[in-house]
Amino acid sequence: MSIMLDSPVLAQVSLGPELTATLAAAPSVTVPATRAELYALALGPAGGPHHRVDYDVDGEVVTEATVTRCRNGVAANYPEDYMRRRDPQCMVIADSRPTDKTRFADRFGQAFTGTRADTFAWLADQDLVVVPFKAGGLTYGSPSLAVVPLNAAFFALALVDLQGWVTFDELGAFSPRSILYVAPPMRHTHFGGKQVVVHDRTATLHEIFAYNLYPGPSAKKGVFSVLLDIGETEGWITAHASSVRVTTPYDNETVIMHEGASGGGKSEMCQDLRREDDGRILLGRNVVTGEDYHLTLSETSDLSPVTDDMTLCHPAVQDGSGKLVVADAEDGWFVRVDNLTSYGQDPHFERAVIHPEQPLVFFSIDGVADATALPWEHTPDADGTPCPNPRVVIPRRGIDGIVHEPAAVDVRTFGVRMPACTRDNPTYGIMGMTHFVPPAIAWLWRLIAPRGDKNPSIGEAADAVATLAHGGMVSEGVGSYWPFSTGTKVAAANLLLEQLTTYDRTRYVLTPNQHIGAYKVGFAAEWLTREWLARKGGGRMRHDQLEPARCALFGYAPTEITLDGQSVRRTLLRPEMQSQVGTEVYDRGCAILTGFFKAELARFLTPDLSDLGRRIIETCLADGGVEDYEALTPMYR
């Protein structure tokens, strides 16, 4: 419905003078009363089947997006390949609050003030749609607001599907904790066609100015930035993690929270393990000999997803048990479907998006008007190859077996992409299948969040692409949520360490993907570690069941792993025992890894780092052993 500014709908909201003047000047302001009304707006004034999102750019009409009406939702597409993924350099900070990120003035040579005024002036000339949302989900989120051009209502639809539908009447009187403004054509008029997302923070308001229509850096990760900002102020974290409740064939339950840099296996933690046609599980294939190594499991555990990507560690959900309690920070998931290439690869998910309870929003899916949008039909990029970043926004309630209540975490795993390591090609790919680590070492891995082995992340900077392509590593930073944080690394590091030491009844585990020494394992090591930890009752281990790893950063290796009476080869637990690796090559890999850690960790040694954090980093710099780390932070067994 279109409204007047003095309407009771907005009268209870503290809008501030700039936004108040903008809404008063706009030709129309629409506040949808229902999601169905917002969905209708997303189809454009004609209601479909095709809607072009066009803007005037210095007298030329530029199409920023197209929207196609499909039977099961709308398919949003972008004419430019560049707009189909998040630009990792898009974030800039406009305010003077503490940050380690690039400031607007440093990048563009002027204060944001003029561009800010231009943004409100442009919005004041547009028909607008205004939607409220709760940053962080409906239960624990902070009341917020989005101001979007009416012809780009599909963007607002994706936002509220991610954060959950809420109305102004339900929120009552409030001052927005965050406001998202969307002004797409200004990427051409002000930023040379680049995606730019500007964060302008005060102590009580976090404003996001999005100059593009791909929701990844604003409606998705921009809201993540808001939560990290709030948490840094209030002393809690929104982790970049997935979590899953694993129920064994004997009805024992274990909750596992999985973290890691891009490509570290967060999405895979909630996926069933893959079987060969004959039912066996391919654990690994030797890259030198070509030998396959299989396991047979008659039954595997049931998986119930808890969180997908943004994992809320809010004080309100903690229960005093000594375990970290988590809840989902979103009401919908922004699911990447590039791994779906044909029918039948993920029947539960396919059913959920092909026959949804309500029509969905698809991105970079080649939708045909009034036909069913299929998640494996990806829009071709300009070179004819499928877009590598197709997405669908699906409500949590549409996910099979979802856990709706907060869950206490038994084990926090951390996934790392590892390259193959052999005598002919020594690398850092020497992590065994499963390693238990004290909180101090768990903190170091999260502090660095290394990415490696040809990491498939979308929109990577050119220098990082070159490094990863040649077997190197880059650091994604604190907790792997650093790319979305607007604050400082040391403040985030202190908060993360406090969390890891406070919840002292949680176990910490490292697990590799892609390779273990000379074995190509994909994500099988992660899946089988998950299965084994659940069958071990949350990873309970006696002292005699663990032995120090040869590389101290890996903590302890289990002396054995047995599943359904089958012992996993010891060479996958201790890669230095592989004939294609050996201790000399292993030690070279350890030196590569340790050297990378030392170089990255030295940057955290500032006066603002906590005393415990300083001692942990100094232990690493001094080549301390696992027992030295455990003396600083005892390991829960």
Side-chain angles (χ1 to χ4, degrees):
M1 59 179 178
S2 296
I3 63 165
M4 301 298 292
L5 190 59
D6 58 357
S7 164
V9 174
L10 287 178
Q12 301 183 83
V13 185
S14 299
L15 298 175
E18 290 171 303
L19 183 53
T20 298
T22 297
L23 297 181
S28 70
V29 177
T30 300
V31 176
T34 64
R35 183 192 181 272
E37 186 176 335
L38 179 56
Y39 182 81
L41 294 173
L43 295 170
H50 298 288
H51 168 50
R52 292 166 60 95
V53 183
D54 292 339
Y55 297 101
D56 179 276
V57 178
D58 297 330
E60 179 184 352
V61 175
V62 174
T63 300
E64 285 292 286
T66 62
V67 180
T68 301
R69 183 185 68 205
C70 300
R71 294 182 64 181
N72 52 334
V74 294
N77 277 281
Y78 305 94
E80 295 179 54
D81 293 357
Y82 167 70
M83 291 304 303
R84 299 173 183 177
R85 62 276 278 165
R86 181 178 66 89
D87 186 331
Q89 309 301 322
C90 67
M91 174 189 281
V92 289
I93 309 300
D95 57 75
S96 59
R97 294 174 68 82
T99 186
D100 286 335
K101 294 297 175 64
T102 302
R103 295 189 185 273
F104 187 93
D106 293 334
R107 181 168 171 181
F108 297 107
Q110 59 185 352
F112 180 58
T113 310
T115 304
R116 180 185 178 95
D118 291 346
T119 305
F120 284 111
W122 183 84
L123 289 169
D125 285 339
Q126 310 302 310
D127 293 311
L128 300 174
V129 59
V130 175
V131 292
F133 65 97
K134 296 186 75 175
L138 294 175
T139 304
Y140 306 103
S142 300
S144 300
L145 204 64
V147 181
V148 182
L150 182 61
N151 69 341
F154 79 91
F155 182 98
L157 179 64
L159 170 69
V160 298
D161 280 358
L162 286 168
Q163 302 303 321
W165 176 263
V166 66
T167 66
F168 283 105
D169 288 340
E170 291 169 331
L171 290 175
F174 72 95
S175 296
R177 184 58 181 84
S178 66
I179 304 178
L180 171 60
Y181 309 96
V182 181
M186 288 182 62
R187 77 179 178 96
H188 301 287
T189 58
H190 288 63
F191 304 114
K194 294 294 185 181
Q195 295 180 31
V196 173
V197 177
V198 181
H199 294 257
D200 201 354
R201 306 163 297 168
T202 69
T204 57
L205 176 63
H206 189 135
E207 293 177 295
I208 305 169
F209 292 82
Y211 298 108
N212 67 86
L213 283 179
Y214 178 61
S218 49
K220 171 68 173 173
K221 299 305 186 186
V223 174
F224 202 164
S225 300
V226 170
L227 295 179
L228 292 170
D229 181 22
I230 295 171
E232 187 171 316
T233 301
E234 299 180 355
W236 52 275
I237 288 171
T238 300
H240 192 202
S242 65
S243 53
V244 62
R245 186 180 67 200
V246 187
T247 304
T248 72
Y250 311 104
D251 291 330
N252 297 318
E253 293 183 350
T254 295
V255 175
I256 299 175
M257 173 175 164
H258 189 73
E259 297 153 277
S262 300
K266 292 183 289 294
S267 298
E268 287 76 11
M269 179 53 72
C270 295
Q271 295 177 359
D272 288 320
L273 56 79
R274 304 286 170 84
R275 293 179 182 268
E276 302 280 84
D277 291 341
D278 61 6
R280 293 182 300 167
I281 298 161
L282 177 63
L283 176 50
R285 173 172 294 151
N286 193 297
V287 299
V288 177
T289 66
E291 173 205 14
D292 287 344
Y293 175 40
H294 292 91
L295 289 178
T296 301
L297 295 183
S298 57
E299 290 184 280
T300 54
S301 299
D302 291 331
L303 305 177
S304 300
V306 180
T307 68
D308 169 64
D309 178 66
M310 293 163 55
T311 297
L312 203 66
C313 310
H314 197 281
V317 302
Q318 306 309 318
D319 61 7
S321 66
K323 297 179 180 180
L324 178 67
V325 180
V326 300
D328 206 315
E330 301 174 290
D331 194 60
W333 292 353
F334 195 44
V335 181
R336 185 170 155 186
V337 293
D338 62 309
N339 62 336
L340 293 181
T341 57
S342 62
Y343 168 77
Q345 293 178 320
D346 192 339
H348 293 297
F349 180 78
E350 291 166 19
R351 186 180 305 115
V353 300
I354 291 173
H355 304 291
E357 294 180 3
Q358 61 183 23
L360 307 177
V361 187
F362 297 85
F363 291 92
S364 299
I365 295 294
D366 195 8
V368 176
D370 295 324
T372 300
L374 301 174
W376 54 83
E377 293 189 350
H378 310 149
T379 300
D381 274 355
D383 62 2
T385 62
C387 172
N389 192 39
R391 302 272 184 169
V392 58
V393 181
I394 183 169
R396 278 173 50 85
R397 63 182 180 275
I399 305 295
D400 189 52
I402 199 82
V403 176
H404 294 286
E405 300 300 323
V409 175
D410 299 294
V411 184
R412 287 178 69 168
T413 55
F414 193 89
V416 188
R417 294 181 73 88
M418 287 282 166
C421 176
T422 65
R423 294 184 188 277
D424 294 333
N425 184 31
T427 71
Y428 58 90
I430 55 171
M431 182 185 289
M433 175 174 158
T434 307
H435 288 283
F436 289 77
V437 295
I441 295 180
W443 180 65
L444 292 182
W445 280 96
R446 286 161 177 78
L447 216 57
I448 302 303
R451 299 175 48 202
D453 189 46
K454 306 175 182 62
N455 187 282
S457 187
I458 296 300
E460 188 57 72
D463 57 344
V465 169
T467 299
L468 295 170
H470 293 88
M473 284 179 285
V474 297
S475 172
E476 196 159 271
V478 182
S480 81
Y481 59 73
W482 176 246
F484 324 120
S485 174
T486 59
T488 67
K489 277 191 173 183
V490 170
N494 288 336
L495 193 57
L496 184 60
L497 181 56
E498 181 182 355
Q499 184 194 67
L500 267 63
T501 55
T502 297
Y503 301 104
D504 56 3
R505 293 179 64 82
T506 296
R507 297 181 178 89
Y508 297 95
V509 169
L510 306 177
T511 185
N513 64 65
Q514 305 315 307
H515 298 90
I516 298 176
Y519 283 87
K520 171 69 175 176
V521 298
F523 291 96
E526 176 182 318
W527 293 327
L528 288 170
T529 292
R530 177 187 66 196
E531 189 73 27
W532 179 67
L533 290 171
R535 296 183 186 213
K536 287 282 294 180
R540 286 195 299 267
M541 301 293 291
R542 301 192 309 270
H543 282 271
D544 63 337
Q545 294 175 318
L546 294 174
E547 55 189 359
R550 189 173 179 90
C551 179
L553 289 173
F554 296 151
Y556 295 95
T559 56
E560 67 174 2
I561 289 180
T562 302
L563 287 163
D564 275 6
Q566 301 164 92
S567 294
V568 174
R569 288 179 183 172
R570 190 161 163 75
T571 54
L572 289 174
L573 309 182
R574 302 293 299 261
E576 68 271 26
M577 299 174 67
Q578 295 177 20
S579 59
Q580 290 88 8
V581 180
T583 56
E584 180 182 348
V585 168
Y586 181 99
D587 290 347
R588 289 173 65 181
C590 180
I592 295 171
L593 187 69
T594 303
F596 178 75
F597 267 62
K598 288 180 178 180
E600 293 291 330
L601 291 172
R603 306 175 187 179
F604 289 90
L605 292 176
T606 72
D608 294 327
L609 185 67
S610 71
D611 179 63
L612 177 58
R614 178 175 297 276
R615 285 185 286 157
I616 294 171
I617 290 177
E618 289 174 345
T619 299
C620 180
L621 297 179
D623 294 317
V626 63
E627 66 281 354
D628 299 313
Y629 292 106
E630 195 165 6
L632 294 173
T633 56
M635 189 170 84
Y636 179 59
R637 298 172 190 261

